[in-house]
Amino acid sequence: MLTRIVKLTFKPENIPSFEQIFAETKNGILAFEGCNMVDLYQDINNPHIFFTYSFWDTPADLEKYRNSDFFKTVWGKTKLLFSDKPQAWSVNKVQSTNPS
C-alpha cells in the first residue's frame, strides 16, 4: 500500500470553491479501484494550505486514477484556484505506532 500526499496552496478567496470541489468529488475518488481512503487536511498556521492524503493498494492503481478523465476534469478545475505550485509525494509506511 502507498500513501499519496499532495500539498495545495490556494488564493484565500478560492478556498470555498476548493472545499466544494473536494466535497463533490471525494466519493468519486474513493470509487476508483485500489483507493482505500482520501482525507483532506488544512494547515493550522496557514489556512490557505491544504494537504490531501490518499491510500492506494498499488502504484498502478494510483496511475490509473491519475490518467483518468475524472482526474483530468477535477484537476483542471482545481489548478485554476492555486496561488502556488502544488507538490506531491508517494510514500510507503516504514514504521507505525498504531498497534493494528
Side-chain angles (χ1 to χ4, degrees), residues 9-29:
T9 305
F10 295 99
K11 297 174 187 169
E13 65 271 19
N14 291 338
I15 290 171
S17 296
F18 168 68
E19 289 175 324
Q20 182 176 352
I21 290 169
F22 186 83
E24 292 172 353
T25 60
K26 64 184 175 184
N27 289 332
I29 298 167

Side-chain angles (χ1 to χ4, degrees), residues 18-91:
F18 168 68
E19 289 175 324
Q20 182 176 352
I21 290 169
F22 186 83
E24 292 172 353
T25 60
K26 64 184 175 184
N27 289 332
I29 298 167
L30 280 170
F32 272 83
E33 182 178 349
C35 183
N36 299 294
M37 188 186 84
V38 61
D39 284 342
L40 179 64
Y41 295 86
Q42 187 174 27
D43 189 285
I44 292 171
N45 297 312
N46 298 300
H48 60 284
I49 298 174
F50 288 79
F51 296 87
T52 60
Y53 281 66
S54 55
F55 291 76
W56 298 86
D57 288 335
T58 68
D61 292 328
L62 173 60
E63 285 306 306
K64 284 180 195 173
Y65 165 69
R66 292 183 67 225
N67 290 315
S68 71
D69 289 336
F70 179 83
F71 174 81
K72 291 173 187 171
T73 299
V74 173
W75 191 248
K77 293 176 186 177
T78 303
K79 69 182 181 180
L80 298 174
L81 308 174
F82 293 146
S83 67
D84 198 3
K85 183 179 177 182
Q87 297 177 305
W89 301 268
S90 292
V91 299

